[in-house]
Amino acid sequence: MSMDGAEVLKRTLIEDEAAILDAWYASLREGTSLQSGRIREAELQTQAKAVYGQLRDALANGGVEADGEQYTSLREALADISRSRAIQGFTPTDTANFVFSLKAPVFAAIGKAHGTDAATLAAGTWAASKILDRLGLHTMEVFLESREEVIGRQGQEIAELSTPVVRLWDGILALPLIGTLDSARTGVVMENLLQAIVDEEAEIAIIDITGVPTVDTLVAQHLLKTVAAARLMGADCFVSGIRPQIAQTMVHLGVELNVVSKATLADAFALALRQTGRKVVRQQVSAEGRR
Amino acid sequence: MTVKSTKVETLPIRSGDDVVRVRQRVRALAIEIGLGLVDQTKFVTAASELARNALDYGGGGEVRAEIVQAGMRKGLRLTFEDQGPGIADIEQAMTDHYTSGGGLGLGLGGAKRLSNEFHIESTPGAGTRVTIARWK
Ligand SMILES: Nc1ncnc2c1ncn2[C@@H]1O[C@H](COP(=O)(O)OP(=O)(O)OP(=O)(O)O)[C@@H](O)[C@H]1O
Ligand SMILES: [Mg+2]
């Protein structure tokens, strides 16, 4: 008599636990996860053993629908594993293989137990495939989501870090501020600017805030302090890139920067050139030159 | 007119990063109710002030964000709450340029000017609650 596939799988997992786990460990050992040195074998085995136990419990009354309620805690455990893989920099293949490499040992065990009964063998194998494939895909979904999060966070951090001081001309510096300013890094930004003013013997520093999404009182205070400190070092400060919505907001806040401000960095640069006695002229092209 | 809230969520304010997240979330909700760029920026800035006050003076707290509807009008209401020392003299705290912590002293007054509705209540020793709203 043939049995229901989930039942076949459940019995096999219970009766052949030791052999299946051993084969699964062996397969994990050969995978690249361990070779990459990102995880220790003991940890990998602990995870495998926990997942195995939860799969067995889920099968007890959950059938083959791995999206169902009985599989919730197993899916959550796999999600946790996937997330930590994403953060630790595992490849997608390594991550997916954690679940997929359980297939071969399970198929072998079902074959060994029911090799002579084609219908039962097929039912058990089909159930195992269905469940493990679904769980493998779930693992990948979580992994990809987490990767996106990691990348998003890195982007934010880079935005906060990337505040170089740019030398536009002899004695003219620009500080294009990008991203959030209200972190400990603001201090670093200010120090960088003051150091550059000293190194370059700058006369004018242009602080460009085109890339700053919000100017609240804390950001304004940082700007005021930077301007005051630059003045003490003998440099004049211009602020550029105050967008209309930021200008209106600053008026309502009641913040006054009391500095020369220009709409764009280009405008501020032109003014800086003028103020340091320079002029930019369009070259006259002679009649023959144009020909 | 009765005001009903259609979407409610709560965000923690425990660190400077949380303040950044509050700004980002308020920006997204402001866009959702269709506020223009200027109004978005004003309201996000007001939220930033109140979140930072809750963090710096209130020892941390949380903000409840609600999309509210009164008739055809949609709005965004934010309630900042902390269990900090509270404010003994609210009038003084609201005065421009008054600060007890080396700030510009413009946060509370600015948040009021940047919002359509502003309400503050505080109990010394128990905490502070500030509610602001912006209507489309
Ligand atoms: N949540 C709070 N709990 C306790 N005291 C507060 C709270 N919020 C504000 N205060 C008090 O009110 C004062 C004024 O606040 P306000 O935000 O206007 O200025 P500030 O925070 O000092 O400076 P900034 O201009 O940077 O915001 C604060 O200095 C503080 O003493
Ligand atoms: Mg403040």
Side-chain angles (χ1 to χ4, degrees), chain A residues 156 160 180-182 213-221 224-225 244-246 248-249 251-256, chain B residues 16 19-20 23-24 27 37-38 41-42 44-45 48-49 52 96-97 102-104 106-107 109-111 113-114:
Chain A
Q156 227 171 28
E160 289 200 351
T180 321
L181 272 185
D182 54 359
T214 323
V215 176
D216 58 9
T217 56
L218 188 65
V219 173
Q221 196 177 23
L224 287 167
K225 279 184 183 161
Q245 65 273 25
I246 302 272
Q248 286 195 40
T249 303
V251 170
H252 281 86
L253 268 183
V255 188
E256 281 191 51
Chain B
V19 177
V20 175
R23 282 204 297 265
Q24 286 171 346
R27 170 86 64 185
L37 187 54
V38 172
T41 307
K42 285 180 178 173
V44 167
T45 307
S48 184
E49 295 302 335
R52 185 141 349 76
D96 275 356
H97 306 296
L104 295 178
L106 292 170
R113 289 185 291 270
L114 291 166

Side-chain angles (χ1 to χ4, degrees), chain A residues 8-9 12-13 16 19-20 23-24 52 99-115 120-133:
Chain A
V8 175
L9 178 58
T12 308
L13 288 186
D16 230 352
I20 296 176
W24 192 16
Y52 192 93
V99 172
F100 288 139
S101 60
L102 175 57
K103 275 170 112 174
V106 169
F107 288 178
I110 296 174
K112 202 173 68 195
H114 306 283
T120 307
L121 177 65
T125 309
W126 178 81
S129 284
K130 187 170 156 85
I131 293 170
L132 292 178
D133 285 350

Side-chain angles (χ1 to χ4, degrees), chain A residues 83 86 140-151:
Chain A
R83 261 180 233 115
M140 280 314 290
E141 273 162 25
V142 177
F143 178 83
L144 290 177
E145 263 171 38
S146 309
R147 279 305 302 164
E148 262 165 38
E149 248 171 59
V150 170
I151 291 165

Side-chain angles (χ1 to χ4, degrees), chain A residues 130-277:
Chain A
K130 187 170 156 85
I131 293 170
L132 292 178
D133 285 350
R134 186 70 204 98
L135 293 175
L137 287 178
H138 170 68
T139 310
M140 280 314 290
E141 273 162 25
V142 177
F143 178 83
L144 290 177
E145 263 171 38
S146 309
R147 279 305 302 164
E148 262 165 38
E149 248 171 59
V150 170
I151 291 165
R153 207 163 41 235
Q154 283 168 345
Q156 227 171 28
E157 280 164 14
I158 290 166
E160 289 200 351
L161 277 170
S162 56
T163 39
V165 181
V166 187
R167 181 175 162 277
L168 294 180
W169 206 263
D170 271 352
I172 303 176
L173 299 177
L175 179 70
L177 295 176
I178 294 163
T180 321
L181 272 185
D182 54 359
S183 63
R185 296 191 181 99
T186 314
V188 179
V189 170
M190 187 154 116
E191 265 170 43
N192 286 347
L193 178 66
L194 298 180
Q195 190 59 51
I197 288 174
V198 174
D199 293 347
E200 303 273 336
E201 296 177 22
E203 289 172 62
I204 294 176
I206 302 168
I207 304 175
D208 183 79
I209 60 168
T210 312
V212 179
T214 323
V215 176
D216 58 9
T217 56
L218 188 65
V219 173
Q221 196 177 23
H222 286 314
L223 287 174
L224 287 167
K225 279 184 183 161
T226 308
V227 169
R231 281 190 182 137
L232 281 178
M233 320 281 326
D236 238 356
C237 267
F238 300 166
V239 173
S240 66
I242 303 182
R243 287 160 296 151
Q245 65 273 25
I246 302 272
Q248 286 195 40
T249 303
M250 284 169 69
V251 170
H252 281 86
L253 268 183
V255 188
E256 281 191 51
L257 291 181
N258 285 323
V259 287
V260 174
S261 78
K262 287 279 155 194
T264 66
L265 183 55
D267 292 343
F269 183 39
L271 176 63
L273 286 172
R274 249 195 330 275
Q275 218 170 78
T276 53

